[in-house]
Structure formats: structure tokens, C-alpha cells
Amino acid sequence: MLQFKKRQLSEEKYEACAVFDVNGDGIADIVSGAYWYEGPDYEKKHFICDVLEISEYHDDFSDYPMDVDGDGRLDIITGAWWGETLRWRRNPGETGAAWETFDIDKCGSIETIRYYDIDGCGVPEIFPNTPGMPQAFYKLVRDADGHGTGQFLKVVISEGASGHGMGFVDVNGDGRMDIVLSGGWLEQPEDPFAGLWTFHPEFSLGSASVPVLGHDVNGDGLIDLIVGQAHDYGLHWYEQGRAADGSRTWTKHEIDMSGSQFHDLWLVDLDLDGELELISGKRYRAHNDGDPGAHDPIGIYYYKLEGGKFKKHVIDFGPAGEASGAGIYFWVQDLTGNGYPDIVAPGKDGLYLFENHGKREG
């Protein structure tokens, strides 16, 4: 068992966060919504900019670091459901100065955003999960010296609505990263910019987590899927197999049915034993009070993967206000320098830091 020290950093109710060096002092800071928290103790809170609040949500479901304008400072990529717009915020390079926000694209309501370097250029591409719109990604346009220009190239890779849920998984093992959606997967072609990707409608994952994770859970050489129900009860894995005719099959297995609103998932070696652990938790009031289990206690958990079995360990659990959930985009990174990854957990219940102190003795 790992031991964690919990600290509430703020009562602010933003649901996304990120960790990066905001002010260029070489020390990691925490960003969440309208504020950033100065490392290494995260007690000083600095204003970024006003963030739209509507219906008990904030229009900020991502705070990802990227040097968009090539000035050497990390900016923020953001977007959310209500604003229907992918945006970036310019880091002014001066503590206390407001960050200017620029629109990238009016792309439709964004469930949340994830990032992957799809072409190996060294800078991740931006993949918003827009359930009502076709799947697309955005590539930062860089100059001859490799610096960002503040401009983006939009690439649409599917037809029809994407649905709720998205992840990066090399489904067929060809070495190219595919995109998993709730109703199937998009096969990456040799040139990811060459038009629509082939869609394989092989499963139905429901109101799936972002991300859907790919991992060979049972060690048979085939990549399986790990999926949370973002707006219902349940955490599952889908076992990839082969039918007699060589076609793919997907067999659904339960991991944990005791909780609901597993919206964000991470696979990280939390205990430094060389094996990945699954980390997730409840997104507190994901649809305000409208989801199954909305009034249940909240928590954050990790699961040891043991030969296709998932052994649950509780990091935090209890009523909101005492325990923390996981928000729509939590962050895992070693902030204390002891080698063990820590967890930064935002949400409508506040912003929390869980310092990972390693394994308990005895």
C-alpha cells in the first residue's frame, strides 16, 4: 500500500488542471482554471484571467501547456462544453499580468481535450472530444526554426458525431496510434493528414471516459481497452480477441461497479515496481446532480493490475468537502522530488494535492 498526504490547495471549483513551469524559474507550478499556484509549496495563487461560469460549470476543461507563439514560454490550451470553442491563453511572462485568450476554432461543444504527437514532430497535436461533431485534430504551425506561430492546421478524420469518449490506442498493433471513440475506432493511415481515417464500428462503450486507455491487461499480446463510465456506474476492461474467421472480438469485464462518473483515467507506475497502475476517481457532480450515483461519496483510487485482475486501493474516499474526486482532467507527476508520482485533483469540490510518500513499512 502507498501512503499519501492530502492538501487542499484551493476551494476554487475548476475541473481541470496541469503541472508546468509557468514563470520560468525551473520549478513546476500548478495551473487550474483562472489561477496558477507557485511551486514548490503551491501556497501563492496568481490570477490568469476570468473564466466563463455557467450552470455551475466553468468553461475550462483543459489546461494543457504548449508554447503556441514561440516565445519560449508555455501557454495554455483550453476549451469546454459551453463555449464550443478551442482556445489558447498567452503566457505574458510577468507574474500578476492577465493572460490574453485567443480562439483557435469554433469546433462545437468540447467534453474535454487530450493531446498526442500523432506525426512524431515533437509537439503534441490537439484532439478535442466533441461528441456532436466529427473527430478532428489540430496541428500547431511552426516556422522554419521550429517555433510556434500561433496558428493551427485543422484535420478532420471522421464523419458523423464522435460520441462521448476518446483515447489513443494502437488497436491493430501496426505501430500507428489509432483513435478509439465510443462507437468504434479510427484506423490511422500511413499519412494521418491524408483525409478520413477508416472507421471500425466494433463496440459500443456508452458514455465513455476521456481517455479510453489501451493496455494488454491479460498479457496475450493484444491491446485491450480500459473504459470508465463518465456519467454512470462502472469501470470496465474490454478484452480483444480473435474469432474463427480472424475478425476482432471484444469481451467486456467488470473492474469496479461500486462507483460512478469515472471520467478521467491514467496508467502510471505509482509505486515504482515497474508495473503500471490504473488511477481514477469520481468526477464530482459531473452533470451537477443528474447522473446515477451523483449523491454517493466521492474518491480517488488506484488499481493494481494482476494478471487480468484489478486490485483496488483507496487513496481518498468520503463525502464532498472532506474527500476529493478526480475532476475531468487531473494530473499525475512527481512534484516533491522523491521519485514517486503525486496526484493533483481538481473539481467542483476544490483543488487538492496528494503527495505520494511511497510504500508503507510493514
Side-chain angles (χ1 to χ4, degrees):
M1 281 285 293
L2 293 169
Q3 52 185 343
F4 290 86
K5 177 184 176 182
K6 179 173 69 173
R7 292 172 53 199
Q8 185 174 20
L9 302 182
S10 175
E11 294 183 352
E12 301 290 347
K13 300 182 183 300
Y14 302 100
E15 297 189 75
C17 71
V19 171
F20 63 94
D21 182 7
V22 174
N23 57 358
D25 64 357
I27 299 172
D29 308 300
I30 294 172
V31 171
S32 184
Y35 300 95
W36 65 274
Y37 302 80
E38 189 173 341
D41 57 15
Y42 311 106
E43 293 178 358
K44 279 187 182 177
K45 181 170 76 172
H46 302 283
F47 182 65
I48 295 174
C49 65
D50 290 320
V51 175
L52 175 68
E53 182 177 5
I54 183 169
S55 301
E56 298 185 72
Y57 295 90
H58 288 92
D59 205 59
D60 182 76
F61 287 175
S62 162
D63 293 309
Y64 194 82
M66 182 181 293
D67 182 4
V68 174
D69 56 359
D71 65 358
R73 295 188 290 265
L74 288 171
D75 310 300
I76 295 170
I77 305 294
T78 189
W81 188 265
W82 302 102
E84 301 182 6
T85 304
L86 184 65
R87 299 184 168 105
W88 70 281
R89 308 196 200 283
R90 183 180 179 274
N91 185 344
E94 180 183 348
T95 298
W99 298 40
E100 189 176 1
T101 300
F102 301 88
D103 291 352
I104 298 172
D105 186 33
K106 184 88 169 180
C107 60
S109 294
I110 300 172
E111 186 65 25
T112 182
I113 311 168
R114 290 302 182 270
Y115 305 82
Y116 188 83
D117 184 2
I118 202 71
D119 61 354
C121 70
V123 176
E125 279 67 52
I126 303 168
F127 289 78
N129 180 215
T130 49
M133 300 294 289
Q135 184 61 54
F137 69 85
Y138 297 79
K139 180 179 178 61
L140 177 63
V141 177
R142 296 188 291 163
D143 63 21
D145 296 320
H147 299 136
T149 63
Q151 302 299 311
F152 291 85
L153 170 68
K154 181 178 182 179
V155 182
V156 178
I157 60 173
S158 75
E159 298 177 305
S162 298
H164 191 303
M166 184 192 69
F168 309 112
V169 183
D170 181 4
V171 175
N172 56 3
D174 65 356
R176 295 193 290 267
M177 193 61 72
D178 308 304
I179 306 299
V180 171
L181 302 175
S182 61
W185 61 283
L186 292 163
E187 182 178 355
Q188 184 187 161
E190 288 189 22
D191 180 357
F193 299 91
L196 299 180
W197 298 14
T198 300
F199 183 63
H200 301 271
E202 296 178 354
F203 42 70
S204 180
L205 304 179
S207 191
S209 54
V210 185
V212 173
L213 298 176
H215 185 70
D216 183 3
V217 172
N218 55 1
D220 66 355
L222 299 175
I223 295 296
D224 310 302
L225 306 179
I226 302 175
V227 185
Q229 284 303 301
H231 298 288
D232 204 341
Y233 282 96
L235 185 61
H236 301 86
W237 71 281
Y238 288 73
E239 179 183 358
Q240 184 178 168
R242 292 289 183 272
D245 63 0
S247 62
R248 270 178 297 275
T249 62
W250 299 94
T251 304
K252 184 178 180 180
H253 302 275
E254 291 183 359
I255 297 173
D256 186 358
M257 296 300 294
S258 67
S260 72
Q261 299 164 106
F262 292 99
H263 211 294
D264 188 10
L265 315 176
W266 285 63
L267 276 174
V268 177
D269 184 4
L270 266 185
D271 56 11
L272 307 185
D273 67 350
E275 301 290 336
L276 296 175
E277 282 75 50
L278 171 66
I279 314 169
S280 191
K282 183 176 183 177
R283 178 188 171 200
Y284 177 51
R285 302 185 71 234
H287 276 163
N288 291 340
D289 297 318
D291 283 339
H295 298 286
D296 294 350
I298 60 176
I300 299 178
Y301 325 105
Y302 72 93
Y303 302 80
K304 296 287 293 180
L305 281 63
E306 300 173 349
K309 305 294 183 182
F310 290 76
K311 184 178 180 181
K312 182 178 182 179
H313 298 276
V314 176
I315 297 172
D316 200 24
F317 182 78
E322 296 178 15
S324 172
I328 201 169
Y329 201 144
F330 68 102
W331 199 273
V332 184
Q333 185 172 324
D334 177 19
L335 296 177
T336 63
N338 67 353
Y340 287 92
D342 307 302
I343 299 171
V344 185
K348 291 175 183 173
D349 50 319
L351 178 65
Y352 290 83
L353 170 62
F354 292 86
E355 295 179 0
N356 185 350
H357 288 188
K359 297 179 181 178
R360 290 194 181 101
E361 297 296 330

